[in-house]
Amino acid sequence: MAGQPPLLKFEDFRTELDRFLQKFGAGGNNANNGQNGNRYNEDDDPYTGRRKGHATIPKGDFAVLHVARRLTFGATPSLVAEISSKGIPAWIDEQLNPSSIDDSAMDAILANFPGIDLTAAQLKLSAVRGEVTQNLAAATMARAVWSERQLHELMVDFWTNHFNVDANIGLVKPLKPADDLTAIRANTLGKFADILMAVTQSPSMLTFLNNAQSRADGAHVPNENHARELMELHTVGVASGYTEDDVAKVAHILSGWTFAKNGTFTFDPKKHDLGPAVDGSPILGWNRNGQTGVGAGESFINHLARHPDTANKIAFKLCIRFIGDYVSPSDSIVATVADAFLANDTQIAPTLRVLFQSTDFKASAGLKARRPFEFVAGTLRAAAVTFDATQVMSFKNMVNSRLDGLGQPLFAWTFPNGYADADYKWVTAGSLLDRWNFARKVAVDGLALSMFDIEQILGTPAPTRVGAVIAKLANAVLSEPLDPAVYGYILNATDLDADMRWQPWYDARPLLAYILQSPQNQIR
Amino acid sequence: MPQDDSSNSMRTSPDEATSTVTGGTVGRRKFITGAGVAAGSLAATAYLSPSLLTGTAGASSLPATNLLNAPVRAAKVTKPSNNILVVLYLRGGFDGLSALAPISEPAYYAQRPTIAVPAASALSINSDWGLHPALAQIKAMHTAGKAAFVPAAGASFVNRSHFSAQALTEIAVGATTTFSSGWLARYLSSTTGTSESPLRAFGAGAVVPDALAGSFAPSTSSLAALSLQVGGNFAGDGASVTQTLNRMYRSVSNPLLKAQALSAIQTLNTVGSTLATAVPPKNLSTGLGASLFQIAKLINSGFPVEVATADLANFDFHAAMGSATNTKGGQYALLAQMDAAIGAFFGYLGTNASRVTLVTMSEFGRRIAENSSGGTDHGHATTMMVLGGGVNSGVKGTWPGLTNTIDGDVIVANDYRTVLAEVIAKRMRPVNMDTVFPGFSVPSYTGVMA
């Protein structure tokens, strides 16, 4: 659709990919095609049950698995079972109403990350002031891994990026926890109009985009940063046709929007002047109708929230997030979601429900790769890592250093547009190496956090044959059977046969490492 | 400069990684050798092998394995002679009028009462232009005949959005929002030989820049990540791990995943353990310096890097740029960081420096007039810098002045692609420029290259 930011379209990438893959003798877009002696001999595959005495794992319900992967930070066998038993629509309804889900275990975990529920004024007096962004990042990862309100957490991440601020900036840092809690989390599945208003009046955004210090009184020219991003990124987008004059007018309308020392939004009339906006000519279809002061700005923001171009933009981004980015989402699904957004007065939950019911969503299984945050969270979920309060520092350091290395440290993106939601940005050669190393580290020493129990995954009684051990580990980690070819490669690496007895001195950790390194663990 | 592929003995053939792989039981590596290790005592064994890049030992006293011993060809490296283009993207809207000040224009001082570079403080280039006082290293390069500047440069379309302007200038197909791969990816793909090193291009950052989108260049924030952690008392040797990963990802149906994984494995095979431990010199250990250090290390280690990218962000000074003589001011500090990193980069390159040309670009410049916050808002034209090997020193291109403006911004009189095309044409492999910059007919060059 017109006016969206340039998106790397898979169709256009395909020639390049094909050429590259041919060069490597790896075939085109087809799966393993038997070149280079890599063909896996299915006749020898215990996984398919062709030989006796080996585990055969039934195919899971693929639709359930898709929902479990795409609407959470990672599928687990128990989650898949839960969705299966409740039914997809009922489970989605429950997730869209997060307060109905008991998350008390999560609340207990959060107590280990001090400062994340403090206001700027409280943080000023707090010893954790300097590390609060790291604490918030670790708490956010903890929620992604252990919260039962998975869809809510995914949407928190969506809005956190849509309304990104860089919380490593000194002035923003103490303001971000309150922004996270009261602007974003409080409205995550509520009304977009409410989240937009809350964020626009949030001290962290007012600081990040320089509006807090902007003034239009007297000879002052107001800072137009916030005004521009409010329209370009947060709502209608550049293609809606606003002009540079409009940006200047909105900068005047927002002048005086600042916050008090205690960290609450205030309107300072002394810094405010309508400037050129005093003429009352429409901006993006909004008429001032004589409104002045803070009321004029609030009226404009309420107008922006319900503007059709805003609906299209939010719908488009939701489709990118939940359907895929290889191919631009179809105009029709974007229009359908945008219609739902407007018809429900910008309520997010019913808008999402329409998206999740669509054929486009259902047909998008496997088409989206995990970004680093999702990869790390999903891998911890897959490995059944449990939270250990005695290892909080290690967990915190792991979250911050690993995501930094993988290029997605939380709350640290410098630009107001948030992290890219596009596979080509994240699935890169360098990133895969880092992911493989991370997977191996999780498997082999549980990140030195003593949080991970491989014997629990193998269960009691443990499988007795090599092939069955691989299959059981894989099913626990991937919530579905390993791709048969991949299974064969892992088995091949063991120097053992599938029907050999699993000896007590064998070490299952490298097997787990391979499974966590496998392509299936990259899929969202 | 045309490259003779056959001269590069370091390159790994595309299928080398699999040449030792066999489908059956022959050639299997020992995977489970932990005899005597009870299943119940698995938890605490440290397993890190020595980092392949740094040579620093991990915590384990167990014999470490080098997964890359088989394919490494490093000992036979023939020193590459190719030229290298480093593209430094200055993100946030680089204020060309601070970097290279038009010191003879009254309008400059009239509109920037607190942030203009005073003529007396400027590092003089000529009677009309002076560099910001923070740019001492770049001034030294200019004195040595290695620095050219193109003011009034940028994209001809007016787009004051950081994000679409960055994407558009890195995709570089004009103002259209239709997809294309990045301009560097197109250069790479249209000049590719029958066999190339995966390290022909390198992005010094964890996220691939749009300029390289559609290529398979490894992008990483740290070269240490270009190693695979293996080892411990149970693992097969490293070749088995890479072989298994190679096979797993060869069978993926998602082509992006497959291609990038194969590139990663080939990179592992190529880099091997040949990057000697190197302590970053002053100004190359953090931020932009750390990025440029990765690039310099690859070049100095003899890898045939031809294209590399780096970023420096935070030029979006809507407020508090600070005066040009206040060393603690935001603009001063950031420019000084950039300058020091660039100076140290070329210094560390030593004799390789003559092969390297560094070009800076940005999504747009900043408004001529400062705002009430002591900053500047988004403008139009910026200033590009071309530094290093093959440069024809001086201020180049057309300068429209500060009175002939668009919305109060400097007019773009020199398309950024003209500058990039000149560097490519004069220094890099022969290429059809219409492939790199589709639909752009390159006017006469600005003369940044000798």
Side-chain angles (χ1 to χ4, degrees):
Chain A
M1 53 187 276
Q4 294 302 336
L7 188 71
L8 191 103
K9 282 189 198 158
F10 177 59
E11 303 94 304
D12 303 302
F13 202 7
R14 188 181 292 266
T15 316
E16 214 39 53
L17 283 163
D18 276 349
R19 186 168 153 179
F20 179 86
L21 293 169
Q22 290 298 347
K23 198 178 98 184
F24 276 76
N29 290 315
N30 300 320
N32 178 35
N33 53 11
Q35 294 186 45
N36 305 309
N38 262 355
R39 186 175 185 82
Y40 172 69
N41 184 352
E42 291 185 356
D43 292 336
D44 263 349
D45 186 9
Y47 177 88
T48 59
R50 293 185 188 200
R51 291 169 66 188
K52 288 179 183 171
H54 299 288
T56 304
I57 297 179
K59 293 253 177 207
D61 179 342
F62 201 61
V64 168
L65 183 63
H66 172 45
V67 167
R69 278 179 173 163
R70 191 65 60 79
L71 303 191
T72 75
F73 276 95
T76 63
S78 62
L79 177 70
V80 168
E82 182 195 336
I83 300 173
S84 274
S85 115
K86 285 177 177 158
I88 291 173
W91 181 82
I92 287 176
D93 279 346
E94 194 179 273
Q95 288 288 320
L96 287 173
N97 183 17
S99 59
S100 72
I101 304 168
D102 174 32
D103 215 17
S104 45
M106 189 68 237
D107 297 339
I109 291 174
L110 289 178
N112 292 284
F113 304 101
I116 63 169
D117 54 355
L118 297 184
T119 64
Q122 291 167 323
L123 275 171
K124 203 172 177 183
L125 307 169
S126 162
V128 300
R129 181 195 161 109
E131 56 186 300
V132 72
T133 298
Q134 284 76 16
N135 283 358
L136 186 60
T140 303
M141 175 63 81
R143 283 168 145 144
V145 177
W146 292 297
S147 174
E148 301 292 330
R149 300 167 179 170
Q150 282 285 307
L151 181 55
H152 179 261
E153 290 306 313
L154 266 193
M155 286 304 296
V156 166
D157 180 58
F158 179 87
W159 294 123
T160 298
N161 280 285
H162 184 77
F163 295 113
N164 186 60
V165 301
D166 179 353
N168 280 341
I169 295 173
L171 290 172
V172 176
K173 187 185 286 188
L175 301 168
K176 179 60 193 174
D179 176 74
D180 181 67
L181 204 60
T182 59
I184 290 179
R185 289 186 170 274
N187 297 296
T188 286
L189 291 170
K191 271 190 184 182
F192 176 76
D194 293 341
I195 196 169
L196 178 67
M197 188 70 77
V199 168
T200 311
Q201 297 186 338
S202 163
S204 75
M205 188 64 80
L206 288 166
T207 300
F208 183 57
L209 295 180
N210 312 109
N211 206 79
Q213 65 207 104
S214 177
R215 54 193 305 176
D217 53 305
H220 291 292
V221 181
N223 191 307
E224 63 186 39
N225 200 14
H226 199 161
R228 185 183 300 279
E229 306 304 5
L230 170 67
M231 292 190 284
E232 177 188 330
L233 292 176
H234 299 163
T235 61
V236 291
V238 281
S240 63
Y242 58 83
T243 63
E244 287 299 307
D245 287 345
D246 289 336
V247 173
K249 285 181 185 177
V250 175
H252 279 88
I253 289 167
L254 295 182
S255 60
W257 285 43
T258 184
F259 60 95
K261 275 185 181 160
N262 67 3
T264 55
F265 171 76
T266 50
F267 175 72
D268 184 351
K270 290 195 298 294
K271 293 180 178 171
H272 177 76
D273 192 294
L274 281 174
V278 81
D279 71 359
S281 61
I283 306 169
L284 289 165
W286 174 74
N287 292 295
R288 192 164 61 80
N289 287 335
Q291 295 176 96
T292 56
V294 69
E298 289 178 343
S299 164
F300 179 63
I301 284 165
N302 277 317
H303 174 83
L304 281 179
R306 294 167 176 85
H307 194 285
D309 288 346
T310 300
N312 272 332
K313 184 191 195 78
I314 301 297
F316 183 80
K317 286 185 77 169
L318 288 172
C319 289
I320 291 281
R321 170 106 286 238
F322 288 108
I323 293 173
D325 59 87
Y326 269 174
V327 181
S328 293
S330 69
D331 287 354
S332 72
I333 183 62
V334 174
T336 301
V337 175
D339 286 349
F341 179 88
L342 292 174
N344 289 286
D345 193 30
T346 81
Q347 283 191 80
I348 295 148
T351 305
L352 287 174
R353 192 175 283 112
V354 166
L355 198 169
F356 300 151
Q357 284 166 351
S358 71
T359 314
D360 296 63
F361 171 75
K362 290 171 185 165
S364 71
L367 285 182
K368 192 122 173 124
R370 286 171 164 173
R371 297 186 294 178
F373 178 26
E374 294 140 10
F375 177 77
V376 172
T379 300
L380 294 177
R381 285 169 65 78
V385 169
T386 51
F387 182 76
D388 179 346
T390 67
Q391 303 289 344
V392 168
M393 281 309 290
S394 299
F395 179 78
K396 206 172 107 174
N397 292 339
M398 181 280 291
V399 169
N400 287 292
S401 68
R402 280 289 164 172
L403 288 180
D404 196 38
L406 288 164
Q408 201 184 8
L410 299 178
F411 309 108
W413 181 242
T414 317
F415 305 109
N417 61 344
Y419 284 114
D421 198 358
D423 285 357
Y424 79 93
K425 279 286 198 185
W426 301 105
V427 180
T428 66
S431 151
L432 284 172
L433 285 168
D434 241 350
R435 291 178 188 212
W436 294 336
N437 284 334
F438 176 76
R440 186 152 187 110
K441 204 159 165 50
V442 172
V444 172
D445 70 0
L447 302 167
L449 299 178
S450 64
M451 298 195 302
F452 165 60
D453 186 350
I454 205 163
E455 287 166 81
Q456 193 187 336
I457 292 183
L458 284 176
T460 313
T464 58
R465 306 281 167 178
V466 172
V469 167
I470 298 175
K472 182 145 191 181
L473 284 173
N475 208 40
V477 165
L478 303 171
S479 301
E480 68 167 341
L482 261 182
D483 178 279
V486 172
Y487 167 87
Y489 303 141
I490 294 175
L491 182 64
N492 187 265
T494 66
D495 203 20
L496 299 169
D497 291 328
D499 54 356
M500 283 180 169
R501 180 164 290 282
W502 181 261
Q503 303 293 349
W505 58 84
Y506 286 176
D507 190 336
R509 289 178 295 171
L511 299 176
L512 185 66
Y514 278 134
I515 293 163
L516 290 173
Q517 288 170 331
S518 76
Q520 279 163 284
N521 196 36
Q522 309 287 356
I523 297 302
R524 195 156 81 72
Chain B
M1 178 180 299
Q3 299 294 302
D4 178 6
D5 285 322
S6 64
S7 71
N8 174 11
S9 62
M10 187 193 66
R11 119 190 126 242
T12 307
S13 83
D15 286 317
E16 197 146 28
T18 53
S19 60
T20 58
V21 173
T22 52
T25 56
V26 182
R28 283 187 181 180
R29 311 296 176 133
K30 291 289 177 195
F31 180 62
I32 299 176
T33 57
V37 178
S41 64
L42 300 177
T45 315
Y47 79 103
L48 283 175
S49 71
S51 160
L52 296 167
L53 290 174
T54 63
T56 51
S60 175
S61 59
L62 297 159
T65 54
N66 181 344
L67 78 158
L68 300 163
N69 46 11
V72 164
R73 297 285 181 275
K76 299 183 217 159
V77 167
T78 306
K79 226 171 169 40
S81 58
N82 61 286
N83 288 327
I84 297 140
L85 169 61
V86 177
V87 179
L88 170 57
Y89 207 109
L90 304 171
R91 298 189 191 273
F94 181 64
D95 185 30
L97 297 177
S98 285
L100 182 70
I103 52 176
S104 62
E105 298 215 24
Y108 177 61
Y109 295 100
Q111 296 193 56
R112 294 190 162 200
T114 71
I115 58 168
V117 177
S121 311
L123 310 177
S124 175
I125 298 295
N126 58 37
S127 57
D128 291 328
W129 298 99
L131 287 171
H132 192 282
L135 300 179
Q137 297 291 327
I138 291 172
K139 167 61 190 163
M141 291 186 80
H142 174 258
T143 305
K146 293 187 170 67
F149 309 93
V150 185
S156 51
F157 53 84
V158 177
N159 185 326
R160 293 189 182 86
S161 149
H162 292 296
F163 318 104
S164 59
Q166 284 181 25
L168 291 171
T169 50
E170 291 193 86
I171 287 167
V173 289
T176 170
T177 55
T178 312
F179 162 81
S180 173
S181 49
W183 71 275
L184 286 172
R186 288 194 299 275
Y187 165 76
L188 292 165
S189 116
S190 51
T191 56
T192 190
T194 50
S195 184
E196 300 281 0
S197 167
L199 284 167
R200 189 183 166 205
F202 176 73
V207 182
V208 64
D210 277 332
L212 283 171
S215 79
F216 303 95
S219 288
T220 179
S221 55
S222 161
L223 285 181
L226 298 185
S227 65
L228 201 57
Q229 289 172 358
V230 295
N233 63 334
F234 46 78
D237 69 16
S240 175
V241 178
T242 36
Q243 279 173 14
T244 305
L245 286 169
N246 186 12
R247 297 162 129 207
M248 280 186 189
Y249 279 82
R250 263 171 197 270
S251 62
V252 173
S253 59
N254 179 321
L256 178 64
L257 205 49
K258 173 154 65 176
Q260 297 294 0
L262 296 184
S263 173
I265 287 162
Q266 208 201 9
T267 301
L268 280 175
N269 290 341
T270 306
V271 174
S273 53
T274 61
L275 284 177
T277 305
V279 178
K282 193 163 179 266
N283 297 320
L284 290 182
S285 57
T286 57
L288 173 63
S291 296
L292 292 177
F293 183 57
Q294 313 282 341
I295 296 168
K297 213 155 71 155
L298 284 174
I299 294 169
N300 285 356
S301 301
F303 292 102
V305 178
E306 195 185 324
V307 166
T309 64
D311 294 282
L312 182 59
N314 296 324
F315 280 99
D316 195 18
F317 286 106
H318 284 276
M321 289 179 101
S323 92
T325 52
N326 173 10
T327 57
K328 296 204 169 91
Q331 178 86 314
Y332 193 110
L334 193 58
L335 287 176
Q337 186 201 336
M338 175 186 82
D339 181 73
I342 289 173
F345 171 64
F346 279 104
Y348 184 74
L349 282 169
T351 54
N352 286 319
S354 61
R355 297 198 286 131
V356 178
T357 310
L358 184 148
V359 180
T360 71
M361 58 190 287
S362 187
E363 66 266 39
F364 43 63
R366 309 199 72 81
R367 193 147 293 168
I368 299 169
E370 68 180 81
N371 63 24
S372 64
S373 321
T376 47
D377 291 314
H378 301 181
H380 192 207
T382 184
T383 296
M384 293 173 78
M385 297 187 282
V386 186
L387 308 169
V391 169
N392 180 25
S393 248
V395 178
K396 309 293 179 185
T398 305
W399 173 244
L402 292 179
T403 48
N404 172 25
T405 61
I406 175 168
D407 300 336
D409 297 340
V410 179
I411 286 174
V412 168
N414 310 290
D415 194 290
Y416 72 108
R417 292 169 293 185
T418 309
V419 178
L420 300 176
E422 184 175 357
V423 180
I424 288 181
K426 298 274 178 70
R427 297 282 287 182
M428 310 297 281
R429 298 188 201 186
V431 64
N432 178 357
M433 213 57 82
D434 198 45
T435 313
V436 182
F437 301 115
F440 177 62
S441 50
V442 182
S444 48
Y445 293 138
T446 60
V448 290
M449 303 308 287

